[in-house]
Amino acid sequence: MIHRWRSTLIPTTREAPSDAESPSHVLLSRAGFIRKLGSGIYDYLPLAWRTLRKVSQIVREEMDAAGASELLLPAMLPIELYRDTKRDVDYGDLLFKVTDRKGAVAALGPTHEEPITELVKGSIQSYKQLPLNLYQIQTKFRDEARPRSGLLRCREFIMKDAYSFHMHVEGAGGLNEAYDAMYRAYTNVFRRCGLDFTVVEAESGPIGGSASHEFMVNAPSGEDTILKCPASGYAANVEKCEIGERPVEGGAFNGAPTGDLTEVHTPNMPGIDEVGGFMKVKPDRMLKTIVFRAVEPAGGGGGSGGPRWVLAVVRGDHDVNEGKVKAASGWKVELAPEKDARAAGFAIGYVSPKVIVGRTDILLLVDPDAAGGGFWASGADKADHHVKHFNWRREVGAILDDSRYVKLADVRNALEGDPSPRAPGSRLVTGRGIEVGHIFKLGTKYSDAMGLAILDDKQQKRSVIMGCYGIGVSRTMAASVEQNHDENGIIWPAAIAPYHVLVTLLKPEETAHMQAAEKLAADLAAGGLDVLIDDRDERPGVKFKDADLIGIPVRLTIGDKALAEGGVEFKARRDTGKGEVVKLADAPAKCAAAVAA
RNA sequence: CAGGGUGUAGCUCAGUUUGGUAGAGCGCCUGGUUUGGGUCCAGGAGGCCGCAGGUUCAAAUCCUGUCACCCUGACCA
């Protein structure tokens, strides 16, 4: 494949648009890959589209090799589809909606569990037709509350989504087998794309389901925090990350008082930092008590007799993890609406663990780091007041030993340096990542809701078990730039570069130079390489700057210098310095080697 | 959704405080010059100052409303 710069559209700019901040947004804009048309909406120009097609092609090859079949579902989906799964409500404002001339409403697909389930429901009659794995590469629409960072979080984006269908979880043809195959396929995809990534255990989120892994491109600018255990290889999203054993010195709740409980007036101080500063107490000596409302037992179903409120207590410098609160309490919880909580006797913003005394409608979950002795400051259970010298045993008393109401549990987000949950003695390290892939074991959430059930070999009607697997294709392109760039521009991994080789013609008006470039490009193309010839009538400096900016892996410069020696100048984008002169005849082999490396 | 900010030429921005003929750099066009890391000189085109009202002899500038976009947080298969 040979293209000429003047015949395509590559509008590079010296300056970035003022609204671009992240490296990928700045560089993809400056290098003429993308252009913003609206908030979270971007044009993909020719260079971007070539890269997106290359990523897509790798995805297709790996999905097909893993036994999946490509199809294409509509982007415009009748809103009725979402009724049975209640996602018209659960997804809420995230759904873009359009209305037709008759007033019927359609959602622009944010993900396609519903239509694919509907399709399979209408076209599969026997367990003998399973398992099945179907995927598509398509534009998705989500009305994000806050689009940001260019292609990293936008409202219209390209995604590969796959869905698998099974009669059982274990064994041949089961969900686990497909899940493992997708795990391997995803690993292959991102490895072939030339990206440095980490696979982490993840929360499954509103899509629902049990097991879930995220594929994270490692980049300091990533939105997600990931934690790794160097000893065991365990890695998880901060939302999910477990923490190893944390013994409480002297035993939980047994510390001796450090002084008399003293009330302090702390008006107009909304945050821990303000209060701590005012009281001259460091956040790690304060107790933070967060009030959750118990919604329903975590297993589902309308149980009764459980707690109405779940309180999580962590150290002031720690963050409560809602997923862990749910797991430790056995109840699905939500942050308590302030009004309801006040009515139930909680001085929101000033709650202390002491509030549990004399009540039986509260489950108190205490993080081990907050259960020890020593000095504590806490809320005073009344507005604008805190207390000093809080002591667990003295203030809360005997109910601490009643496991129906008080539990010691890991309820906070993991941090750098926390003990590893998998390797005793080892400590967690943190990193940042960009989520480019996510795989889920869905179970029967969607098939139950939509009535996708068929007879198994024992003539039992059973809900079909599903998995779903996504890759953010356009986000992968941006993530690659976040991870691979320098002060001069993008550095594409060869596999997803828009072209493999850029032939920089310093004097396109010289016939001999042009002929040399054409011959060279033809030889390169014959070897399967994609070539862009910079045939613009520009000064050398402009061409070199643009070459670095758009980041083609190999640059071959044709000018008087090298041509006089019967050669061209070879320079890999990754390398610094001036490059080296190679003979024209040797250039194709050298380029091929560089691209394969 | 809360808080903060910005809308002036294709792009990046001055000008708004104190109302009085709409500016610069980059890019673009013409001529010359230069030719291995964003040449230099001269000339030129290009703007409903986001939009709608209002105040005023006079509004980019003051007032009201509205729309769009960005940032921080909340949120986020």
Side-chain angles (χ1 to χ4, degrees):
Chain A
M1 170 68 67
I2 302 171
H3 282 155
R4 289 163 183 265
W5 194 301
R6 289 201 306 159
S7 309
T8 181
L9 180 64
I10 309 175
T12 59
T13 60
R14 201 179 293 231
E15 285 174 298
S18 56
D19 54 22
E21 293 202 344
S22 65
S24 66
H25 192 188
V26 168
L27 292 174
L28 288 170
S29 299
R30 284 192 54 212
F33 281 69
I34 61 171
R35 184 169 281 234
K36 190 176 81 177
L37 194 57
S39 178
I41 306 173
Y42 290 84
D43 296 325
Y44 301 123
L45 278 60
L47 288 182
W49 189 238
R50 290 188 61 83
T51 288
L52 290 169
R53 280 166 55 200
K54 291 197 173 186
V55 174
S56 300
Q57 185 55 31
I58 290 171
V59 169
R60 284 196 173 93
E61 287 171 11
E62 293 299 333
M63 291 301 293
D64 289 347
S69 299
E70 186 172 4
L71 50 54
L72 184 61
L73 300 169
M76 196 163 63
L77 306 163
I79 194 74
E80 289 74 19
L81 256 186
Y82 289 86
R83 288 252 169 83
D84 290 340
T85 57
K86 297 199 183 80
R87 281 214 293 185
D88 51 343
V89 176
D90 289 352
Y91 248 67
D93 293 336
L94 212 59
L95 277 184
F96 272 110
K97 297 185 188 86
V98 295
T99 307
D100 72 10
R101 63 176 76 201
K102 289 178 288 194
V105 177
L108 299 180
T111 169
H112 279 65
E113 284 79 9
E114 284 85 354
I116 196 84
T117 303
E118 185 72 14
L119 171 68
V120 171
K121 183 181 163 187
S123 50
I124 289 286
Q125 283 80 36
S126 162
Y127 72 91
K128 293 173 187 168
Q129 292 169 280
L130 297 183
L132 200 55
N133 191 345
L134 302 167
Y135 76 98
Q136 59 174 345
I137 296 174
Q138 184 196 41
T139 298
K140 295 286 192 273
F141 301 87
R142 289 185 197 174
D143 193 1
E144 291 285 350
R146 189 146 94 78
R148 71 187 92 177
S149 305
L151 258 35
L152 288 176
R153 177 169 300 283
C154 45
R155 301 199 296 170
E156 177 180 327
F157 57 98
I158 300 173
M159 177 167 118
K160 187 284 301 182
D161 48 323
Y163 308 90
S164 69
F165 300 86
H166 316 269
M167 289 307 288
H168 44 85
V169 174
E170 309 286 343
L175 172 65
N176 287 348
E177 184 186 72
Y179 189 88
D180 292 345
M182 288 294 99
Y183 187 108
R184 288 192 300 272
Y186 276 38
T187 301
N188 291 342
V189 164
F190 297 117
R191 184 180 43 73
R192 284 182 61 187
C193 284
L195 299 171
D196 169 33
F197 64 99
T198 303
V199 188
V200 303
E201 295 184 9
E203 282 293 337
S204 42
I207 262 198
S210 49
S212 166
H213 285 87
E214 287 171 334
F215 290 72
M216 297 281 194
V217 169
N218 300 315
S221 54
E223 277 189 328
D224 292 288
T225 300
I226 60 187
L227 293 108
K228 298 184 215 183
C229 164
S232 64
Y234 173 81
N237 192 308
V238 66
E239 307 294 329
K240 176 78 176 179
C241 186
E242 302 160 37
I243 304 174
E245 200 68 20
R246 283 179 284 149
V248 180
E249 203 175 324
F253 311 129
N254 285 336
T258 52
D260 293 338
L261 191 70
T262 312
E263 209 165 80
V264 183
H265 187 50
T266 54
N268 303 318
M269 295 178 194
I272 287 273
D273 291 342
E274 285 95 339
V275 176
F278 180 78
M279 293 174 68
K280 303 218 164 36
V281 176
K282 289 190 177 141
D284 65 3
R285 290 285 84 200
M286 300 177 71
L287 295 177
K288 183 157 68 179
T289 306
I290 306 292
V291 182
F292 292 90
R293 194 165 70 83
V295 180
E296 60 180 31
S304 61
R308 286 199 56 222
W309 308 95
V310 177
L311 270 57
V313 184
V314 299
R315 239 166 58 184
D317 58 331
H318 292 159
D319 290 321
V320 171
N321 180 306
E322 194 175 316
K324 289 182 178 181
V325 172
K326 177 181 166 186
S329 66
W331 282 72
K332 193 171 161 186
V333 296
E334 66 176 17
L335 201 57
E338 203 167 320
K339 220 174 103 186
D340 297 354
R342 282 190 204 286
F346 298 105
I348 293 298
Y350 306 90
V351 178
S352 96
K354 197 177 173 181
V355 74
I356 192 176
V357 175
R359 296 179 65 151
T360 56
D361 60 343
I362 298 174
L363 173 62
L364 189 70
L365 301 175
V366 184
D367 187 79
D369 290 332
F375 176 92
W376 288 116
S378 157
D381 291 316
K382 65 179 183 182
D384 299 334
H385 288 81
H386 283 78
V387 295
K388 298 197 287 194
H389 301 294
F390 176 94
N391 177 268
W392 279 102
R393 184 60 59 188
R394 183 180 67 193
E395 264 58 75
V396 185
I399 197 171
L400 288 173
D401 304 317
D402 191 332
S403 63
R404 287 176 301 170
Y405 303 118
V406 179
K407 286 182 185 167
L408 197 64
D410 170 22
V411 289
R412 69 165 173 86
N413 282 344
L415 293 166
E416 171 105 26
D418 278 340
S420 164
R422 295 289 184 275
S426 178
R427 304 208 162 261
L428 296 171
V429 295
T430 56
R432 306 287 291 178
I434 301 166
E435 178 192 352
V436 290
H438 202 160
I439 58 179
F440 298 84
K441 293 181 184 176
L442 283 180
T444 57
K445 172 173 174 162
Y446 292 92
S447 43
D448 281 343
M450 300 181 66
L452 171 57
I454 55 183
L455 294 179
D456 66 10
D457 56 356
K458 301 193 176 54
Q459 305 211 359
Q460 296 280 319
K461 192 149 204 175
R462 305 247 309 272
S463 283
V464 171
I465 295 164
M466 295 171 56
C468 82
Y469 319 93
I471 289 179
V473 174
S474 45
R475 183 184 275 183
T476 296
M477 174 170 76
S480 173
V481 179
E482 292 287 336
Q483 188 176 77
N484 303 290
H485 66 270
D486 62 17
E487 65 279 9
N488 294 316
I490 301 169
I491 304 173
W492 289 109
I496 59 172
Y499 298 93
H500 299 112
V501 180
L502 174 65
V503 176
T504 298
L505 249 185
L506 293 183
K507 292 185 175 176
E509 71 281 4
E510 297 266 357
T511 311
H513 291 203
M514 180 60 89
Q515 284 171 346
E518 285 171 343
K519 170 72 167 56
L520 184 58
D523 290 346
L524 291 164
L529 298 180
D530 294 336
V531 185
L532 178 66
I533 301 176
D534 188 350
D535 58 346
R536 293 175 301 168
D537 179 22
E538 290 285 356
R539 292 177 55 83
V542 172
K543 296 190 179 195
F544 290 139
K545 287 287 186 190
D546 276 351
D548 287 346
L549 186 56
I550 69 173
I552 307 301
V554 174
R555 189 183 82 200
L556 295 178
T557 305
I558 294 185
D560 289 325
K561 279 187 187 171
L563 220 48
E565 305 170 35
V568 292
E569 182 187 299
F570 174 98
K571 181 179 176 304
R573 175 63 180 85
R574 275 184 194 283
D575 297 340
T576 52
K578 281 287 182 189
E580 54 176 314
V581 174
V582 300
K583 289 199 176 102
L584 273 167
D586 297 340
K590 190 158 175 66
C591 290
V595 164

